[in-house]
Amino acid sequence: METNVSSLKNTARIAGVWYLLLAITGVYSIIYVPSKIMVRGDAVATANNILANEFLFRTGIISDLISNTIFMLLVLVLYRLFKQVNEHKAKLMVALVIVQIPAVFFMEAFNITSLMILKGEILKTFELNQRQDLAMLFLKINDYGTLTLEMFWGLWLLPFGQLVYKSGFIPRMFGVLLIIGGMAYIIESLTHLLLPNYGAFVSQYTFVFYTIGELSIMLWLLIKGVKTKV
């Protein structure tokens, strides 16, 4: 039993490390870089920011690719941790993450394309304002793709939360917080897609729930791992 607890704890802490790296790279690519580049409703200013901060823009793309690679590694470690709890739900959790990865790599191609358009490497016969509009179109496609993926960011947390709740080696509270966080992601995604005028308002509240859910389980896995007595 002691060996089993030690093995679970090591696996849990590895998952915690991957979760931390996912959080760092995700915040950088999804929040930090867009905050320095994107100007809502102003294609010209956004285009100028991209050209003036090309390296930063490119690091955001690379960070997103690294982030999703880490995401895949994280869920595989979590599968190893929770398969003994419920293998069916553990496989569902993995599937809901893996299905996202190709979409992200495809979406980043739109960001690269928008940069190529703005630099005049393609569509050279187009006027400047036409290139700016086209570049914004590709960036918008990426944005809406992210909103769609946000649905899956919530969906994978539902089986994850159930596994945590039933595990016996992680406090049930964290499972409840994960399920609430998953629902918050789904509500935010649906609001932005169905009622875009209310998206920003709803995000103020949903952000709190999924941040608490994911941050709490990340810190538990990283610091504590599992309960000493299972």
Side-chain angles (χ1 to χ4, degrees):
M1 178 64 74
E2 188 174 332
T3 303
N4 186 47
V5 172
S6 177
S7 177
L8 284 175
K9 184 173 288 189
N10 289 337
T11 303
R13 284 180 170 161
I14 291 170
V17 171
W18 284 125
Y19 223 137
L20 177 62
L21 293 173
L22 174 65
I24 293 170
T25 53
V27 167
Y28 182 81
S29 58
I30 296 173
I31 298 176
Y32 178 74
V33 173
S35 73
K36 299 296 182 182
I37 298 289
M38 304 300 292
V39 180
R40 186 179 296 275
D42 193 334
V44 175
T46 299
N48 289 336
N49 283 342
I50 290 173
L51 292 174
N53 301 279
E54 181 182 340
F55 182 75
L56 178 66
F57 185 72
R58 289 181 180 275
T59 61
I61 295 171
I62 296 300
S63 180
D64 201 23
L65 298 179
I66 292 173
S67 176
N68 280 274
T69 302
I70 290 171
F71 198 5
M72 181 175 61
L73 295 172
L74 166 63
V75 79
L76 292 176
V77 175
L78 290 175
Y79 172 78
R80 190 172 66 186
L81 182 65
F82 290 109
K83 65 179 179 179
Q84 63 181 354
V85 178
N86 186 309
E87 190 169 3
H88 175 72
K89 282 188 171 61
K91 286 180 178 178
L92 177 61
M93 175 184 67
V94 172
L96 288 169
V97 171
I98 298 298
V99 73
Q100 303 175 44
I101 308 303
V104 172
F105 279 71
F106 184 74
M107 283 162 50
E108 288 305 331
F110 288 116
N111 280 337
I112 289 290
T113 302
S114 66
L115 178 60
M116 292 172 66
I117 291 171
L118 290 173
K119 292 180 69 176
E121 294 178 4
I122 56 176
L123 304 178
K124 297 179 181 180
T125 59
F126 282 45
E127 298 293 331
L128 177 60
N129 62 333
Q130 292 176 315
R131 293 206 307 272
Q132 289 173 341
D133 286 342
L134 273 173
M136 284 303 299
L137 172 63
F138 282 108
L139 291 172
K140 280 293 182 184
I141 291 173
N142 182 281
D143 286 345
Y144 277 103
T146 301
L147 289 175
T148 304
L149 282 178
E150 191 173 7
M151 180 81 69
F152 286 91
W153 297 349
L155 288 173
W156 90 280
L157 290 181
L158 302 183
F160 183 17
Q162 291 174 331
L163 288 165
V164 169
Y165 187 84
K166 295 179 179 179
S167 68
F169 52 78
I170 297 177
R172 287 185 167 187
M173 172 187 67
F174 294 115
V176 173
L177 290 174
L178 282 170
I179 292 170
I180 293 172
M183 294 303 298
Y185 269 124
I186 293 168
I187 290 169
E188 182 173 298
S189 176
L190 289 174
T191 303
H192 277 284
L193 293 171
L194 294 173
L195 303 166
N197 291 335
Y198 297 94
F201 173 76
V202 170
S203 294
Q204 297 176 64
Y205 300 96
T206 53
F207 173 81
V208 175
F209 291 107
Y210 57 70
T211 299
I212 290 174
E214 294 206 79
L215 187 60
S216 61
I217 190 64
M218 181 193 77
L219 291 174
W220 172 270
L221 292 171
L222 193 62
I223 299 170
K224 185 70 174 178
V226 298
K227 292 180 182 178
T228 305
K229 294 182 179 179
V230 180

